[in-house]
Structures are given as structure tokens and as C-alpha cells.
């Protein structure tokens, strides 16, 4: 298994191009099932998650054309040959559960494996299933699979929590349903809004995406379109913390403050300078130590849970004590023990981590446990003394395109080592 070696190497300087958003892209790919006409996506990130979902879509009969080394993908679902999403696929990639809504919406039938838990928590799918039942689907759980069938009819659905995945699955299921669907307490993430924008371009009638209440009026069919995947706000936030940890100045190309306003506010509170430029967002470390700040994760427009680990890595070096509260997933501090192995001073109690900033950390062999946890260890390694070896980097390849290249271009000492 490959690992990544990173050495503390002083301040960074330069530009980092931010790729298309992984999470948005995966849901857009699922949405290609909704039309007989091709959906072409540009600005597609070159990630193993995209490859995994492509394999699943191909198993359903979707033909995929690849251009521009995978940066442009054309999906043609004119001839669906299966409505079964197998466990082997869904367990590798939870987002593939989001073929459920498009499949039943288009064909009236879907059999999709339950995703099961994952490293960061149990991650139930009850909101997805109750939502489908409200739309009139018959939903049964058999042998670890969801069997959903029926012609869908518009309904009013109120989620107990603004789940990103459930909002997107139900939105996709309802665009071809008869009548009007109202989704209350909907997720407001830019990713969800971008998915709605693509569906609208395909002919869907959706109002209120990006707000708490969405209204979807069913249409008879969707057409094809070409859609550019939005900037990955989590990749953006990740690279914004890099100068916060290693020092220096980095311009994130394609970055936009509105994608991450709450996160940018906290970065500034810690002492970083953020400037909007013609090309993106520039982050500058003023020198000295950053200030410790408290953070609680929350659904958009709050502080994203997917940036909590990276922010924690930054707070490890800050002056003072910061309290990080994780409110979205119950088990999302697995990077803390690894950071402690590198010399961080962190106490975890339930959903709260208290980080007492230290002046120095030391490189160590550490284990990546999930995508965002792994990158937080690399970031910490960029400011630790000596060498940090991050193992199990396949997690990183799921969500960060050309990470070593992007970071070494701004001055980091980082390399991938082939494993046995
Ligand atoms: C998506 C993102 C993930 C991000 C998360 C929160 C993708 C591929 N992944 O995950 O990177 O961390 O949003 O911003 O887009 N819940 C239930 N029942 C449900 C659905 C959710 O109890 O049916 C709970 C979850 O267990 C979790 C919370 O709601 O505690 C939020 O989950 P959700 O917003 O659905 O996250 P995902 O869509 O899985």
C-alpha cells in the first residue's frame, strides 16, 4: 500500500488550482440516470470515487464517454439494462446510494444495497427511505438491499435534519413524479443547489434550491445538457489551511468566499488574512502564531464538518486553547489520536475536542482513517519537525486530485512512496 512522506519545510508560496467538487460531481453522475439523452459534465475531478461510481453506472447500462483525460465525461443512459446497485459497489462508496432516487424516478423500480456504516459514524438512510415512501414508493428491506418500486406522486416531505444526501436523492426522485413535491428543512449546501441547477437545465421545474424549502413540480421527461462541476469547496478549504499551518501565502485558484463564508470568518478570527483576487482566494499567514478559536460544525451555511479535521491540525499549533464541537457525525475525531502521536495536546470527550496549542510537533508514522482525517495528518506533517509518514493513502485518492503535486508546487516537501 502506498504511503506519503512529508517533511516540515517552512513557509509556502504560490498558487493551487482547485478541482471540481467531488461530492457534487458524484450526485450529478447519478442524475444522468434521469434522462434518455446524454449528460455531459466538465471540470470533473480525476478521483477514484468518480471511477468507482462510473463502474456502478456502467453496470446499470449507462455508456460513458471520456474526454480530456477524464476531465469531461459524457453519460448516456438511453438504454438502462439493470436497476440493481450491488453491495460491492455501494460499500466502497456511500454516495452511490444516490442512484436510488434517479433510478426509481425514471424506471419505477430500484434495488440498491444499503450502504452500512463507515469510519465516521453509523450514517443512517432513514430520511431517504421515508421520503420515498411519502412519494408513494413501496419500500422493502431484504437481505441488506432496499427494494423500492412504484409510480411516484408529489408529496410534502419534511426532513428531521437537513441531510445533504437525502435532499438530493428525494429531489432527483421527484423531478419526474406526478404533481408537486415540497421538501422542507432541505439541505442548503452549494452542492445541492448546483445539482438543482443542472436538473433545471435538463428541464426540471425546481424552485427554492439553496433555501430551506424546495418546490419540485414534476415534468414528463428530462433532456440532456452540458454542465460544469462547481469548485470543490472542501478541497478549497483544505488548501486554505495549508499556509495557516506551514506559514506563507497561497492563492487558491477558482476559490470563492461565498462557498465557505463561515469557515473564512473563523480563519480570519485565527489571524489569517484572506483576500479575494481575480483568480480566486489568497490566504496569507501574518507570521508568529495563530490565535486559538472555537468552532462548532453545522449544516450549510455553518462550518463544514468536512473541514473540521484540517482546522484541528491548524489549531494544534495555535496559541491558546480551542474547543472544536462536531455536531454532524458521532465519530469524527479519529485524526486526534494520530495528531497526538505527533505531539499535539488534544482531549476528546464525546463530540468535543479541546486542543491546547503547542509550539512544536514532531513527525511520526501515522494512519489515515478517512479522507479528511488523512489530509489533516499531511497538513500537520508540513509543520512538524522531521518526517511524517501517512499510511493508507488510498483514502486520499478518493478525494484529492494530484495532492502531492499541488502541495510541492507551493514549496512543501512531500512525496508518495510505493508500498508493497
Ligand atoms: C454529505 C457529504 C459528506 C458531508 C455531509 C455533511 C457527499 C457524498 N457526502 O454526506 O462529505 O460530510 O454531507 O455535510 O455528499 N442522517 C440520518 N438519516 C438519514 C440521512 C442522514 O440520520 O437518512 C444523519 C447522518 O447520520 C448525519 C447527518 O444526518 O449525522 C448528516 O448527514 P448527511 O447530510 O445526510 O450527510 P451525507 O449526505 O451522508
Amino acid at each position: 500500500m502506498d504511503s506519503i512522506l512529508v517533511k516540515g519545510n517552512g513557509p509556502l508560496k504560490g498558487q493551487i488550482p482547485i478541482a471540481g467538487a467531488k461530492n457534487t460531481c458524484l450526485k450529478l453522475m447519478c442524475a444522468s440516470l434521469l434522462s434518455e439523452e446524454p449528460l455531459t459534465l466538465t471540470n470533473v475531478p480525476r478521483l477514484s470515487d468518480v471511477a468507482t461510481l462510473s463502474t456502478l453506472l456502467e453496470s446499470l447500462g449507462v455508456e460513458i464517454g471520456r474526454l480530456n483525460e477524464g476531465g469531461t465525461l459524457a453519460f448516456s443512459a438511453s438504454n438502462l439494462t439493470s436497476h440493481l446497485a450491488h453491495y460491492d459497489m455501494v460499500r466502497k462508496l456511500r454516495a452511490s446510494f444516490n442512484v436510488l432516487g434517479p433510478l426509481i424516478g425514471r424506471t419505477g423500480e430500484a434495488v440498491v444495497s444499503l450502504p452500512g456504516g463507515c469510519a465516521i459514524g453509523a450514517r443512517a438512510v432513514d430520511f431517504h427511505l421515508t421520503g420515498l415512501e411519502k412519494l408513494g414508493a413501496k419500500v422493502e428491506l431484504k437481505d441488506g438491499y432496499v427494494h423500492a418500486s412504484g409510480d411516484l406522486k408529489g408529496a410534502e416531505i419534511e426532513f428531521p435534519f437537513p441531510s445533504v444526501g437525502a435532499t438530493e436523492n428525494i429531489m432527483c426522485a421527484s423531478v419526474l413524479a406526478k404533481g408537486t413535491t415540497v421538501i422542507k428543512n432541505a439541505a442548503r449546501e452549494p452542492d445541492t443547489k448546483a445539482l438543482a441547477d443542472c436538473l433545471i437545465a435538463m428541464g426540471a421545474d425546481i424552485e427554492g434550491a439553496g433555501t430551506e424549502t424546495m418546490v419540485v413540480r414534476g415534468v414528463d421527461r428530462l433532456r440532456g445538457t452540458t454542465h460544469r462541476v462547481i469548485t470543490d469547496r472542501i478541497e478549497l478549504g483544505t488548501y486554505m489551511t495549508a499556509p495557516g499551518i506551514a506559514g506563507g501565502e497561497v492563492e487558491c485558484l477558482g476559490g470563492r468566499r461565498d462557498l465557505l463564508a463561515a469557515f473564512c470568518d473563523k480563519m480570519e478570527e485565527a489571524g489569517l488574512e484572506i483576500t479575494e483576487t481575480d483568480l480566486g482566494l489568497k490566504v496569507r499567514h501574518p507570521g508568529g502564531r495563530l490565535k486559538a478559536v472555537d468552532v462548532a460544525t453545522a449544516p450549510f451555511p455553518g462550518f463544514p464538518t468536512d473541514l473540521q479535521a484540517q482546522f484541528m491540525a491548524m489549531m494544534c499549533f495555535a496559541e491558546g486553547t480551542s474547543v472544536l464541537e462536531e455536531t454532524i457525525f458521532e465519530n469524527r475525531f479519529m485524526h486526534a489520536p494520530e495528531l497526538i502521536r505527533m505531539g499535539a495536546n488534544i482531549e476528546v470527550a464525546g463530540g468535543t475536542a479541546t486542543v491546547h496549542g503547542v509550539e512544536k510537533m514532531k513527525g511520526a508514522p501515522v494512519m489515515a482513517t478517512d479522507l479528511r482525517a488523512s489530509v489533516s495528518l499531511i497538513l500537520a506533517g508540513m509543520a512538524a519537525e522531521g518526517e511524517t509518514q501517512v499510511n493508507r493513502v488510498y483514502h486520499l485518492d478518493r478525494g484529492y486530485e494530484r495532492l502531492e503535486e499541488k502541495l510541492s508546487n507551493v514549496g512543501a516537501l512531500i512525496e508518495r512512496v510505493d508500498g508493497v
Side-chain angles (χ1 to χ4, degrees):
M1 237 179 270
D2 291 359
S3 53
I4 284 186
L5 289 181
V6 53
K7 286 187 194 149
N9 187 41
L12 308 175
K13 183 148 186 67
Q15 298 177 319
I16 299 183
I18 306 301
K22 169 180 85 80
N23 288 349
T24 316
C25 183
L26 297 173
K27 311 304 172 48
L28 289 164
M29 290 168 67
C30 294
S32 71
L33 291 164
L34 283 163
S35 175
E36 286 171 17
E37 293 179 20
L39 171 63
T40 302
L41 300 178
T42 63
N43 199 31
V44 172
R46 295 167 183 89
L47 301 170
S48 64
D49 272 7
V50 169
T52 306
L53 183 58
S54 296
T55 308
L56 169 61
L57 291 174
E58 281 168 340
S59 77
L60 301 173
V62 178
E63 284 174 22
I64 306 178
R66 293 168 177 83
L67 285 167
N68 183 20
E69 292 165 17
T72 299
L73 297 180
F75 300 87
S76 171
S78 58
N79 188 20
L80 291 180
T81 51
S82 165
H83 51 251
L84 169 70
H86 202 272
Y87 173 66
D88 279 348
M89 299 282 177
V90 186
R91 89 183 150 81
K92 278 195 211 146
L93 176 61
R94 281 186 56 86
S96 50
F97 191 69
N98 274 59
V99 298
L100 177 60
L103 266 183
I104 183 166
R106 164 103 178 265
T107 69
E109 192 152 18
V111 179
V112 178
S113 169
L114 282 164
C118 73
I120 61 174
R123 300 184 80 174
V125 288
D126 49 333
F127 308 160
H128 302 238
L129 302 185
T130 325
L132 280 184
E133 280 175 335
K134 283 246 165 85
L135 292 175
K138 186 174 158 217
V139 177
E140 284 177 311
L141 299 184
K142 267 190 275 179
D143 307 325
Y145 282 80
V146 177
H147 294 247
S149 58
D151 292 330
L152 305 185
K153 289 199 192 72
E156 186 172 309
I157 295 161
E158 178 159 5
F159 290 124
F161 183 87
S163 154
V164 174
T167 301
E168 294 171 342
N169 230 345
I170 295 303
M171 173 167 65
C172 284
S174 60
V175 285
L176 294 175
K178 286 244 161 343
T180 300
T181 299
V182 179
I183 306 176
K184 294 189 171 169
N185 204 18
R188 289 180 277 164
E189 266 69 2
D191 312 79
T192 310
K193 164 96 172 48
L195 175 61
D197 288 343
C198 176
L199 292 169
I200 291 167
M202 292 168 80
D205 183 349
I206 303 171
E207 242 175 68
T211 74
E212 276 169 25
T213 305
M214 285 173 43
V215 178
V216 184
R217 291 178 201 89
V219 295
D220 288 339
R221 58 181 293 278
L222 294 188
R223 53 180 179 265
T225 194
T226 296
H227 179 91
R228 182 181 161 82
V229 179
I230 55 164
T231 297
D232 194 316
R233 63 200 190 94
I234 306 303
E235 191 195 20
L236 169 65
T238 300
Y239 289 126
M240 287 175 75
T241 58
I245 292 171
E249 184 177 294
V250 167
E251 185 175 21
C252 294
L253 307 179
R256 279 170 26 204
R257 192 173 177 119
D258 63 307
L259 295 173
L260 279 179
F263 170 81
C264 288
D265 290 348
K266 287 292 174 185
M267 296 282 281
E268 285 171 339
E269 215 180 303
L272 291 159
E273 292 158 16
I274 302 176
T275 331
E276 294 181 70
T277 66
D278 290 345
L279 299 176
L281 286 181
K282 192 178 272 183
V283 184
R284 186 177 161 270
H285 195 304
R289 284 175 78 190
L290 296 181
K291 251 191 357 217
V293 293
D294 297 341
V295 159
T297 61
F300 192 85
F303 189 102
T305 171
D306 286 354
L307 288 172
Q308 177 258 108
Q310 300 88 318
F311 202 83
M312 182 188 286
M314 194 172 87
M315 287 298 100
C316 286
F317 298 95
E319 193 158 13
T321 296
S322 70
V323 177
L324 307 182
E325 203 189 329
E326 174 54 61
T327 72
I328 311 288
F329 294 111
E330 67 275 19
N331 188 23
R332 210 170 192 186
F333 286 135
M334 279 172 313
H335 39 287
E338 301 298 312
L339 290 167
I340 291 169
R341 299 187 63 248
M342 297 171 68
N345 183 350
I346 305 169
E347 293 146 27
V348 174
T352 303
T354 306
V355 184
H356 308 281
V358 294
E359 273 186 57
K360 280 186 182 160
M361 287 180 37
K362 278 216 156 70
V366 286
M367 193 75 93
T369 46
D370 69 63
L371 171 58
R372 309 303 170 186
S374 359
V375 84
S376 75
L377 303 174
I378 289 178
L379 291 165
M382 283 166 50
E385 282 175 4
E387 188 171 88
T388 296
Q389 176 170 3
V390 183
N391 296 309
R392 292 204 192 162
V393 293
Y394 55 84
H395 289 295
L396 278 174
D397 298 329
R398 294 189 42 205
Y400 291 95
E401 174 188 297
R402 297 186 290 116
L403 172 110
E404 306 95 281
E405 188 187 320
K406 288 186 185 187
L407 284 174
S408 35
N409 283 347
V410 295
L413 276 184
I414 177 167
E415 61 172 331
R416 183 178 290 247
V417 189
D418 291 342
V420 271

